[in-house]
Amino acid sequence: MGLWVNFVFSGEVEMREKDLDLHLSELLLLKDIAEMLNQGIHLPLILKGALNRLLKVLRLESGWIFLLNAQQELQLEASVNLPPGLQNEEFRPMCGQECYCIERFHDGRLKKAVNVLECKRLHDAVTNQYGDTFGLVHHASVALRSGNEFVGILNVALSSKKLFKKEELALLESVALQIGSAIKTEERSRLAQELHDSVKQLLFSMNLMAKTGASVSQEKQAKQLFSDIADIAQTAQSEMKSLIWQLRPQVLEKGLMCAIQSYA
C-alpha cells in the first residue's frame, strides 16, 4: 500500500512539474515575443522572428501571417518554412481572398483561434501539383487584433497534427493579441512621423510666411489678414503637435518596456 501511495504521489508530482515547465515555456514565449515586437525595426522581420519563436516552442513546422493592406485585402506579410507547394510562382497559392480563414475574417466569424480541417490553399496546391506540401493538410488560424480592430491572421501548422488543443489555441490567441497590438502601434508611429515630416512642416512654413506678409504689408486690411492666417497656422501647429503626441507619446519612443519602467 505504501509503495502504491508513493507511486501515485510521485506521478502527481511529475505531472505538476511538467505542467509547470509548460506554463513557464509559455510565459517565456510571450516575454520573448513582446521583446521582439518592442524593438521597433522593420515589421516583416519582427513578424518572422515572432513566428520562428512560436513555432519552436509549440514544435510546429510552418507559419504564415496575412495583414490587411490599403485596399482592406489580406496579403501575405511574413512566413516561416512554407512548403514549396505554397511558394510556387512567387507565392501565387498564398494570394487571393478565397479560403476558410480569410472568408471568416472578413465576415467577422474568425474571433477566436480555430482548427481549419480543410485548407483550400493546401488542397489547391496538391490538386494543381504546385509542389511538395510537406504533408500539411490542416492548420490553426487566429485573427490578429488590437482592441476591437482586426488587422490580420496568424496561421500555424504541423504535418502530423490534425487538431490543436484548447490550451494551444488559447496561447495562439495571446500571441495574436500581442502581434496585433504591435502592428497598430507601428502604424500609429508611422502616421505620426508622416504628419511630423509633412503637415507640421507645411504649417510652420505657412505661419512664417503669414508673419512675414503681415510685417511688410502697408495696407491695414492686408496686414490684418496675414496676421489672422498666422494665428490660424499657429493654432493648427499646436493641435498637430498634440495629435502627434497622442499617436506616438515620447515616453513610448524607446518601447513599451522602457515606458513601463519609467512609469514605475
Side-chain angles (χ1 to χ4, degrees), residues 112-131:
K112 297 288 186 178
V114 297
N115 285 291
V116 179
L117 300 182
E118 295 182 4
C119 175
K120 184 178 184 299
R121 299 183 191 279
L122 289 167
H123 178 270
D124 289 348
V126 174
T127 302
N128 297 320
Q129 297 182 341
Y130 285 141

Side-chain angles (χ1 to χ4, degrees), residues 56-68:
K56 182 177 180 181
V57 170
L58 293 183
R59 298 179 182 179
L60 304 174
E61 291 174 347
S62 303
W64 59 97
I65 291 177
F66 292 114
L67 293 185
L68 285 172

Side-chain angles (χ1 to χ4, degrees), residues 14 32 44 49 62 97 99 134 138 158 166-167 184 198 258:
E14 184 177 353
D32 289 347
S62 303
Q97 305 296 298
C99 73
F134 295 166
H138 316 290
L158 177 66
K166 290 182 179 180
E167 295 80 5
K184 292 307 298 181
S198 58
C258 292

Side-chain angles (χ1 to χ4, degrees), residues 223-252:
K223 184 183 290 289
Q224 184 61 48
L225 178 61
F226 279 122
S227 180
D228 290 343
I229 293 175
D231 290 341
I232 293 173
Q234 182 69 45
T235 301
Q237 276 185 278
S238 298
E239 292 182 357
M240 182 61 65
K241 182 178 180 180
S242 176
L243 176 60
I244 291 174
W245 188 91
Q246 292 178 40
L247 288 171
R248 188 186 61 186
Q250 293 181 355
V251 71
L252 290 177

Side-chain angles (χ1 to χ4, degrees), residues 91-186:
F91 296 92
R92 180 182 175 187
M94 302 302 290
C95 300
Q97 305 296 298
E98 296 182 1
C99 73
Y100 178 94
C101 57
I102 288 183
E103 289 174 359
R104 278 148 185 77
F105 175 88
H106 283 305
D107 65 23
R109 285 184 287 171
L110 190 65
K111 295 181 179 180
K112 297 288 186 178
V114 297
N115 285 291
V116 179
L117 300 182
E118 295 182 4
C119 175
K120 184 178 184 299
R121 299 183 191 279
L122 289 167
H123 178 270
D124 289 348
V126 174
T127 302
N128 297 320
Q129 297 182 341
Y130 285 141
D132 189 4
T133 59
F134 295 166
L136 293 179
V137 179
H138 316 290
H139 65 80
S141 292
V142 59
L144 302 175
R145 65 183 179 89
S146 176
N148 293 323
E149 186 175 357
F150 293 82
V151 298
I153 302 175
L154 166 65
N155 298 285
V156 292
L158 177 66
S159 59
S160 61
K161 196 175 190 67
K162 182 176 181 179
L163 292 174
F164 285 76
K165 299 177 181 179
K166 290 182 179 180
E167 295 80 5
E168 294 171 321
L169 295 176
L171 179 59
L172 287 177
E173 290 176 5
S174 298
V175 172
L177 185 59
Q178 276 192 326
I179 295 176
S181 298
I183 291 171
K184 292 307 298 181
T185 300
E186 192 274 340

